[in-house]
Amino acid sequence: MSIRILLVDDEAVDLEWMRRRVAASPFELQIVGAVNTGFMALKVLEQEQTDLILSDIRMPILSGIDFARRAKKLQPNVKIVFISGHEDFGYAKEAIEIPASGYLLKPVEDRELYELLGTLCDKIEQEREQSRSMLQALSLVNEELLLRWLNGAEGGPLVRSLLAPLCETGVSVAMIEIDDLELNLQDNPEEEKRERVARVTECLKRFVADRQAGMLLTSHHGRYVLLTAASEERGESLLEELVREVRERLPYTVTVGAGAFAQSEAELLASYRQAQAALSAKWLLGKNRLIRGVSETSARGKQAASFGDTVDRLLEAIMQYDLVAIDDRLLELFDDSAPTGKSEAYDLIVRITSRLHAGLAAMNEDLYELLKWESHQPVRLFQFETIHDILSWLRRRLFELSELLYSKKQRQKRKLIEEIMRYIEERLDQKVTLKETAAYFDFTPNYLGYLFLEETGIHFSQYLNERKMRRVCELLSDPTLKIYEIADRAGYKNILYFNRQFKQATGMTPGEYRKKHKI
């Protein structure tokens, strides 16, 4: 991994000289910033993990010495090299107190710069290796003791010895959780779960070691505790980088809950509880992100008095196959009830589905049978990690229900229309009316007329006349039948009305029709 270096000088020419020499150096250096004030350099340090700083010692407003003191507070392990003129040598005493890792006098020769950079790069790599070794040396027993102490167990001398250096420099707690571990791997072999956890663990350990981010403890399956000495501002940037690192390097994601910076055992315990509370807010705030600043207790949502009315409107939207209205009613129900945990969400869904089932039962439909829900309970929701996942799952199921009911209704309508057409076909030799047909099928004339028009695109009377005229044309093709006999067979008792209807439909009289077709 490259060594990250920050360049600071208020003189543009000198700053550009440093940038070019560092870029041309034989070392693996990454320039994280090249700025001309100490204030701008502090901004960079708040956002970027930095190993080494090359800085002018005499700068206006914020001198190099004052900048270095603040830089050390932001990133205690950063190494600082001052570059300045002979007349500034009086600053050297203060530089030693900080302490600085080197002091170069202008004009600086390339050889002198590269020798110092080489020495510091070697030292940084050694410290990284020591950091990795220290992390590996932290035994599973020590990890377990720390975790037990964080969870309320008594701390003995060994725990105190582990906590002392942490509290001395200051530390904050972060809880890290692999997202959707159980949901995505529920049907997979246990070995595959272990492999995923191992890959994430290795990625996290490498990140923590390379950035000297602190101490990583494996809490339990898919969860970790990170104790980091980074300042609150730098810590937030570091944790966001961790989330991004996992997302970009692996086909998985993590969510991180962060606690406040602590400098005592009591504050460290409080930071741990804050990190737990923040991670539990993943349920409401979503995953694949950093969460911080969440109180340990959250306000419960106010139960809406109109729950029943909203579910009834949801059922109406389902029956009308109105997907937008279904989504609106669902959001309304969840916003009003505001479940703060899986159990509350489960109870809410049971109440919603129970009322929907009762409403559908009145229509001779069975919600649980339609959706094939075993034991009449959506137990699958306990595998989800956020309320957004649960809401998305329930939305899909209700969309599916609406589509099933719509398709079923369309099939029923189609079957009814086919039966009506068959009824008409069997009575073409009789007088058939909409009122009589509606009574036969147990509908009102208005509804049956509307339904017939909606499904076929033509009015009932128009369809009836078209079928009668086709039947008449078939009968006219038989020369042995008289026209009055055909009219009688077609259900017309008045021969003049029959002739008028036929001419209106075909543009000719029955006699003219026979002449045209040489019958």
Side-chain angles (χ1 to χ4, degrees), residues 50-63:
T50 305
D51 301 303
L52 178 59
I53 299 173
L54 292 184
S55 173
D56 186 12
I57 203 167
R58 175 174 283 183
M59 294 185 290
I61 306 177
L62 185 66
S63 71

Side-chain angles (χ1 to χ4, degrees), residues 11 33 115 170 177 211 230 252 408 468 513:
E11 294 292 340
E115 281 181 1
E177 182 175 66
R211 289 161 181 77
Y252 325 121
K408 189 173 183 179
K468 278 183 172 289
Y513 179 88

Side-chain angles (χ1 to χ4, degrees), residues 102 173 175 234 258 282 291 342 359 422 454:
V173 181
M175 295 283 295
R234 172 58 193 150
K282 166 183 174 179
I291 305 171
K342 292 185 181 181
R422 190 158 48 249
E454 185 183 53

Side-chain angles (χ1 to χ4, degrees), residues 483-500:
I483 289 178
Y484 69 85
E485 291 177 322
I486 293 172
D488 184 63
R489 288 194 183 187
Y492 292 94
K493 303 305 178 184
N494 187 317
I495 188 67
L496 293 177
Y497 179 71
F498 166 70
N499 284 331
R500 192 180 305 118

Side-chain angles (χ1 to χ4, degrees), residues 120-134:
L120 292 176
C121 286
D122 289 342
K123 190 172 183 180
I124 290 168
E125 287 295 348
Q126 288 173 9
E127 289 177 356
R128 285 181 177 176
E129 185 59 38
Q130 288 171 2
S131 177
R132 282 190 283 264
S133 299
M134 184 189 70

